[in-house]
Amino acid sequence: NAGVTQTPKFQVLKTGQSMTLQCAQDMNHEYMSWYRQDPGMGLRLIHYSVGAGITDQGEVPNGYNVSRSTTEDFPLRLLSAAPSQTSVYFCASSYGTGAEQYFGPGTRLTVT
Amino acid sequence: ELKVEQNPLFLSMQEGKNYTIYCNYSTTSDRLYWYRQDPGKSLESLFVLLSNGAVKQEGRLMASLDTKARLSTLHITAAVHDLSATYFCAVDRHETSGSRLTFGEGTQLTVNP
């Protein structure tokens, strides 16, 4: 199993540009989440999904969209990038409630 | 709003010593997770604690959960340099729709020879 994969590993955007961060898992996990990690602040939940077709907002959803058309994929879209979105983004998946979460390798995003 | 607080945030210790990292959280939960993160890397799951009184051990690390006190501890025994990393605790906020973790700020551990 590849586990949780994320692309790209690094990205630089200009303010106002849009892009999609990709996340995929091959473990048939129902639950998937997106977090961002900023220095000194731990990780914060952006959006999450409990299954294909079901998504909900987390703690810091503004400026981001998600969709879950398949169990395997959970892309995160930045609608109009802002410097405040400079961060490291992690995707995670888990089998169910109370289960261990597996994190992807992360995408380091810089918005200038 | 669920808040998760870790202390200390920075910990420098000598090899061979013992120490404890504390994780306090503000609302009822019986699902707590500990992760390790090395610089520039992703998060590695260490422990999943799912009930009051749960205790788990792996090597020199032992984690426990007291849901009544809303407190989890990560105890390090006879520290070695390889344990240097940042340790996060995280609490799951909902019983029915899981995987909505609230993280602490992390404890940056440095083990000196």
Side-chain angles (χ1 to χ4, degrees), chain A residues 31 33 35 37 40-45 48 50 57-59 90 94 96-101 103-106 108, chain B residues 1 31 33 35 37 40-43 45 48 50 88 92-106:
Chain A
Y31 294 165
S33 309
Y35 296 86
Q37 184 176 30
M41 294 186 71
L43 280 76
R44 291 181 292 169
L45 180 66
Y48 69 100
V50 298
Q57 296 181 349
E59 191 181 345
F90 289 101
S94 68
T97 301
E100 179 180 359
Q101 283 210 40
F103 282 81
R108 188 173 295 273
Chain B
E1 181 189 352
R31 291 181 288 171
Y33 307 78
Y35 293 91
Q37 186 178 38
K41 302 292 187 184
S42 185
L43 279 75
S45 177
V48 178
L50 299 178
F88 292 95
D92 205 341
R93 286 184 275 179
H94 282 267
E95 290 183 354
T96 54
S97 57
S99 299
R100 297 180 61 188
L101 299 185
T102 299
F103 281 79
E105 290 182 55

Side-chain angles (χ1 to χ4, degrees), chain B:
Chain B
E1 181 189 352
L2 172 59
K3 291 189 186 301
V4 180
E5 292 183 349
Q6 288 182 235
N7 72 85
L9 297 183
F10 298 93
L11 177 56
S12 180
M13 56 191 298
Q14 284 187 308
E15 280 192 328
K17 298 292 188 184
N18 304 334
Y19 209 84
T20 300
I21 299 170
Y22 297 89
C23 174
N24 291 274
Y25 54 97
S26 61
T27 64
T28 302
S29 176
D30 56 1
R31 291 181 288 171
L32 190 132
Y33 307 78
W34 284 97
Y35 293 91
R36 169 184 171 141
Q37 186 178 38
D38 292 301
K41 302 292 187 184
S42 185
L43 279 75
E44 174 191 352
S45 177
L46 295 174
F47 301 109
V48 178
L49 304 170
L50 299 178
S51 61
N52 185 40
V55 177
K56 292 198 174 178
Q57 183 163 5
E58 180 73 33
R60 300 173 188 275
L61 300 177
M62 183 174 71
S64 65
L65 177 62
D66 181 343
T67 59
K68 293 177 182 174
R70 298 178 185 168
L71 171 69
S72 180
T73 61
L74 181 66
H75 186 71
I76 303 156
T77 302
V80 294
H81 179 69
D82 284 352
L83 290 179
S84 296
T86 298
Y87 293 84
F88 292 95
C89 65
V91 178
D92 205 341
R93 286 184 275 179
H94 282 267
E95 290 183 354
T96 54
S97 57
S99 299
R100 297 180 61 188
L101 299 185
T102 299
F103 281 79
E105 290 182 55
T107 297
Q108 188 174 318
L109 171 66
T110 303
V111 181
N112 302 303

Side-chain angles (χ1 to χ4, degrees), chain A residues 61-73:
Chain A
N62 292 342
Y64 307 96
N65 270 357
V66 292
S67 60
R68 183 103 179 265
S69 55
T70 66
T71 299
E72 294 78 20
D73 300 298

Side-chain angles (χ1 to χ4, degrees), chain A residues 15-86:
Chain A
T15 297
Q17 287 184 315
S18 63
M19 79 160 294
T20 299
L21 307 186
Q22 301 291 345
C23 174
Q25 52 91 10
D26 61 359
M27 297 174 282
N28 202 31
H29 285 170
E30 287 297 318
Y31 294 165
M32 296 186 74
S33 309
W34 277 101
Y35 296 86
R36 60 177 287 174
Q37 184 176 30
D38 301 301
M41 294 186 71
L43 280 76
R44 291 181 292 169
L45 180 66
I46 305 171
H47 286 284
Y48 69 100
S49 170
V50 298
I54 307 169
T55 65
D56 206 347
Q57 296 181 349
E59 191 181 345
V60 287
N62 292 342
Y64 307 96
N65 270 357
V66 292
S67 60
R68 183 103 179 265
S69 55
T70 66
T71 299
E72 294 78 20
D73 300 298
F74 191 41
L76 178 73
R77 281 182 285 279
L78 279 71
L79 308 173
S80 177
S84 61
Q85 293 178 306
T86 294

